[in-house]
Amino acid sequence: MRLQNAALGAAGLAAFLALGEAVPRLGLVREEYFPPTSRIATAFADELSDGAFWTALGDTLTGWALGLAIAVSAGIVIGVVVSVVPYLREATASTIEFLRPIPSVALIPLAVLLYGSELRSVLLLVVYASFWQVLIQTLYGVQDVDPVAEETARSYGLGTWALIRHVLWPTALPYVMTGVRLAAAVALILAITGELVIGAPGLGARIAVAQNSQAVPEMYALIVVTGILGLLINVGARTVERRALAWHQSVRGEVAV
């Protein structure tokens, strides 16, 4: 089944690349705006041989990783505390629902005013966008704890830490891993967006330079790199999720199938 899915995925990718080569060659779009796949591939190879590209890639991955780590840590800790402390969930519900819908890109002017075009501007956007993914999933996960299991644990004299470790955390972990997987993708999107708009060092800034200098094949090659990064991050997050939840029924059922 996996081999069949891999073959279908490869066939779909090959068809997409062939379409990208044919459309400009047939004159359906102008090559200066949408170059053929072969020209993009050449530009992609040139980027791989450029040291500045690897520096920009490292800057992007640094902003992504740091922002994601901060967001995940803060989301899990705050989510558990808000859920465990009596009445804190009700007291913070309106604040969370007010702040959560605010688009992260709306904070770009604030980030520029505070930190200019430094890495910290990108971190502000990444952390803000990713934090809510983890926090909300953590809140849902803790809320899903079986009250009978919780009362049984309390009747056996489990303290707050033991209750979190042995009852709340196993129940909330599948939700938390979903939040981390979503946050990983959102963090990459905001890292690239921040670099593109603010001009912070990274792939986004390199894309903006290629666009402004009319280096269209190079621009598309860099966009392809961001797509590959997103794919690798998603695959990596799913792998971590499966290993962390190897004991869970959903993953065990998936492996059995």
Side-chain angles (χ1 to χ4, degrees), residues 13-25:
L13 178 60
F16 177 76
L17 295 177
L19 182 64
E21 181 73 22
V23 167
R25 297 291 187 189

Side-chain angles (χ1 to χ4, degrees), residues 23-86:
V23 167
R25 297 291 187 189
L26 296 175
L28 300 178
V29 295
R30 298 175 63 178
E31 289 193 21
E32 55 264 34
Y33 299 143
F34 187 83
T37 303
S38 56
R39 288 185 59 192
I40 297 176
T42 301
F44 180 78
D46 293 338
E47 288 291 334
L48 295 180
S49 62
D50 189 351
F53 163 77
W54 294 105
T55 301
L57 178 61
D59 292 333
T60 296
L61 291 178
T62 299
W64 169 80
L66 287 177
L68 180 62
I70 295 171
V72 169
S73 301
I76 293 175
V77 172
I78 294 176
V80 172
V81 171
V82 167
S83 300
V84 170
V85 177

Side-chain angles (χ1 to χ4, degrees), residues 8 11 14 23 46 49 51 73 83 104 151 171-172 174 195 202 208 210 238 253 257:
L8 290 174
V23 167
D46 293 338
S49 62
S73 301
S83 300
S104 298
E151 290 300 324
T171 303
E195 295 163 356
R238 286 187 175 276
V257 171

